[in-house]
Amino acid sequence: MNSLDQFARDQLSARDAGNLRRQVVETASIDGVSVEREGRRLLAFCTNDYLNLSQHPAVKAAAVSAVQQYGAGAGASRLITGSHPLYAELERRLARLKGTEAACVFGSGYLANTGILPTLAGAGDLVLCDELSHSCIRTGASLSGADVVLFRHNDVEHVSQLLAEHRARHPRAVIATEGVFSMDGDLAPLAALSDIAQRYDAWLLTDDAHGIGVVGNGRGSAFVGGRAVDIPLQMGTLSKAVGGYGGYLCASGPVVALMHNRARTFIYTTGLPPSVVATAIAALDIIENEPDYAAGPLRKARLFTRLTNLPEAQSAIVPLMLGGADRTLAASRLLEQEGFLVIAIRPPTVPAGTARLRFTFSAAHADADIERLAGIVRERIMH
Ligand SMILES: *Cc1c(COP(=O)(O)O)cnc(C)c1O
């Protein structure tokens, strides 16, 4: 065998040993919540399409009509000819939703964070990240070349200590966190982080991938509790509750203009297909105009936590910590036998020893299905 394939096999067998190997499994969506996998129909409690908007007739119609009007692809990067007219509309809508002056759409959430952080911080600067922050925040921070320091999860006191200790030696500082934590479902203490950021002249960046469309009346984690927290850098994705694909940054006019000029993941990549941008606009219409529908995922998640005696859900994501990868995989298989698709989340996605089932709830889930799922979880997994 050649050295390249040998390398790949060695790497994979190390993962096999810890039950950590990943598999790509073909999964066809039937209606968003029901999927077909390996010939079986399963009810998915693991998608991030919290409002099932990927399947919404108005959203699909908007995509089809954009293909007919503008074609299948953007044809170039946004600074060349790829910034078709739908972009301006989407960016206006995002800025309005988030209460910022401007917005900048990127190719994906991952591209957004890996472009934003290196644009704002460089060698000699400071980036503080919550230790549970998503891979793309960590990657963006390390690409920036700044000094990266992790703070304990949601520990405002620790952030304050770190700023007191390190801030003065760095010209610029960024505090990066998730608004709704993707693997834990809890909320960041944004009001306290915003206060501290202002006290130390640090720039607060929130990743609201799991907040938009779900919490804060659909406006996201900065709006939970009805009061808008002042966050100068609100990043998120169009790939989850918004039902399509893409990422965004909502910020001031100058910051957005700087992204156009400096963010490599904005400049050197092709614009999103017009249909994808149209999808997001149609989805935002629903999020803004149907608050009752947008409240669905949280209501469903809370039904589940009530029935299983878990701490009350704060978002559409409910983790059930099982610890070991083996136990978590076994629980996931048991649920699959019962007709439910719930993925085992294992290291390195989450810290060692915290493998878990991650349940996510959609406005389209039927209460009766949640009740049956909760019964099995309570009696056969949590016992
Ligand atoms: C999914 C996710 C992303 C990446 O967004 P994509 O649009 O899927 O690339 C970024 N941050 C968090 C917290 C996420 O959960």
Side-chain angles (χ1 to χ4, degrees), residues 106 110-120 140 259 262-265:
F106 289 80
Y110 209 104
L111 288 171
N113 273 334
T114 51
I116 295 164
L117 283 160
T119 300
L120 298 175
M259 293 299 147
R262 293 291 305 281
R264 280 172 287 171
T265 59

Side-chain angles (χ1 to χ4, degrees), residues 8-74:
R9 286 188 181 214
D10 290 349
Q11 290 284 308
L12 290 169
S13 44
R15 279 164 180 74
D16 280 332
N19 242 337
L20 298 176
R21 178 143 175 195
R22 314 299 180 89
Q23 304 283 358
V24 178
V25 185
E26 196 170 284
T27 309
S29 174
I30 296 167
D31 59 8
V33 289
S34 290
V35 301
E36 192 173 306
R37 217 176 210 222
E38 292 168 335
R40 286 189 64 208
R41 191 180 171 123
L42 299 168
L43 198 53
F45 280 91
C46 52
T47 96
N48 299 322
D49 185 10
Y50 302 115
L51 299 171
N52 212 34
L53 293 183
S54 72
Q55 308 294 320
H56 194 287
V59 175
K60 292 200 280 190
V64 170
S65 132
V67 167
Q68 275 157 355
Q69 191 171 354
Y70 298 108

Side-chain angles (χ1 to χ4, degrees), residues 32-370:
V33 289
S34 290
V35 301
E36 192 173 306
R37 217 176 210 222
E38 292 168 335
R40 286 189 64 208
R41 191 180 171 123
L42 299 168
L43 198 53
F45 280 91
C46 52
T47 96
N48 299 322
D49 185 10
Y50 302 115
L51 299 171
N52 212 34
L53 293 183
S54 72
Q55 308 294 320
H56 194 287
V59 175
K60 292 200 280 190
V64 170
S65 132
V67 167
Q68 275 157 355
Q69 191 171 354
Y70 298 108
S77 74
R78 292 193 56 194
L79 292 173
I80 310 294
T81 58
S83 209
H84 46 79
L86 295 169
Y87 263 119
E89 163 78 2
L90 175 57
E91 287 170 340
R92 218 168 23 245
R93 297 288 300 271
L94 285 166
R96 188 175 79 195
L97 186 74
K98 297 289 187 176
T100 60
E101 202 178 12
C104 173
V105 170
F106 289 80
S108 73
Y110 209 104
L111 288 171
N113 273 334
T114 51
I116 295 164
L117 283 160
T119 300
L120 298 175
D125 294 328
L126 176 67
V127 177
L128 300 181
C129 296
D130 187 288
E131 63 184 347
L132 297 187
S133 297
H134 192 266
S135 157
C136 58
I137 297 179
R138 304 279 290 273
T139 303
S142 78
L143 281 174
S144 77
D147 295 334
V148 181
V149 182
L150 301 182
F151 59 88
R152 288 189 294 272
H153 177 52
N154 280 351
D155 188 338
V156 179
E157 194 46 46
H158 193 206
V159 177
S160 170
Q161 277 167 22
L162 290 169
L163 285 168
E165 189 182 333
H166 299 289
R167 176 71 186 91
R169 283 183 283 112
H170 299 84
R172 286 171 290 275
V174 178
I175 302 172
T177 188
E178 294 183 35
V180 173
F181 280 83
S182 55
M183 296 298 140
D184 295 78
D186 55 344
L187 305 178
L190 294 181
L193 286 173
S194 167
D195 287 347
I196 246 172
Q198 285 171 31
R199 188 153 3 117
Y200 285 92
D201 187 27
W203 306 330
L204 181 58
L205 167 67
T206 57
D207 177 338
D208 208 28
H210 300 274
I212 189 172
V214 178
V215 299
N217 234 343
R219 298 180 74 190
S221 54
F223 300 89
V224 172
R227 184 171 83 89
V229 179
D230 185 8
I231 300 170
L233 301 161
Q234 301 184 56
M235 170 273 165
T237 174
L238 305 170
S239 327
K240 289 165 180 162
V242 183
Y245 198 62
Y248 63 84
L249 174 67
C250 292
S252 69
V255 168
V256 165
L258 181 64
M259 293 299 147
H260 297 166
N261 284 273
R262 293 291 305 281
R264 280 172 287 171
T265 59
F266 177 88
I267 301 169
Y268 299 107
T269 188
T270 301
L272 286 167
S275 55
V276 171
V277 177
T279 293
I281 296 168
L284 290 179
D285 277 338
I286 295 162
I287 291 169
E288 286 182 310
N289 298 327
E290 300 180 34
D292 227 43
Y293 184 68
L298 187 57
R299 203 161 50 224
K300 306 277 176 184
R302 286 186 170 159
L303 171 62
F304 179 76
T305 51
R306 203 158 55 240
L307 294 170
T308 48
N309 278 324
L310 287 166
E312 182 176 66
Q314 294 180 283
S315 69
I317 302 161
V318 178
L320 176 60
M321 299 293 178
L322 296 171
D326 310 0
R327 184 173 174 214
T328 309
L329 274 180
S332 169
R333 288 202 193 101
L334 183 152
L335 289 175
E336 190 165 338
Q337 280 155 16
E338 295 293 332
F340 296 111
L341 186 60
V342 182
I343 302 296
I345 306 286
R346 294 165 283 166
T349 304
V350 291
T354 71
R356 68 200 66 180
L357 290 177
R358 172 182 179 270
F359 297 90
T360 58
F361 294 87
S362 153
H365 282 132
D367 287 356
D369 290 325
I370 296 172

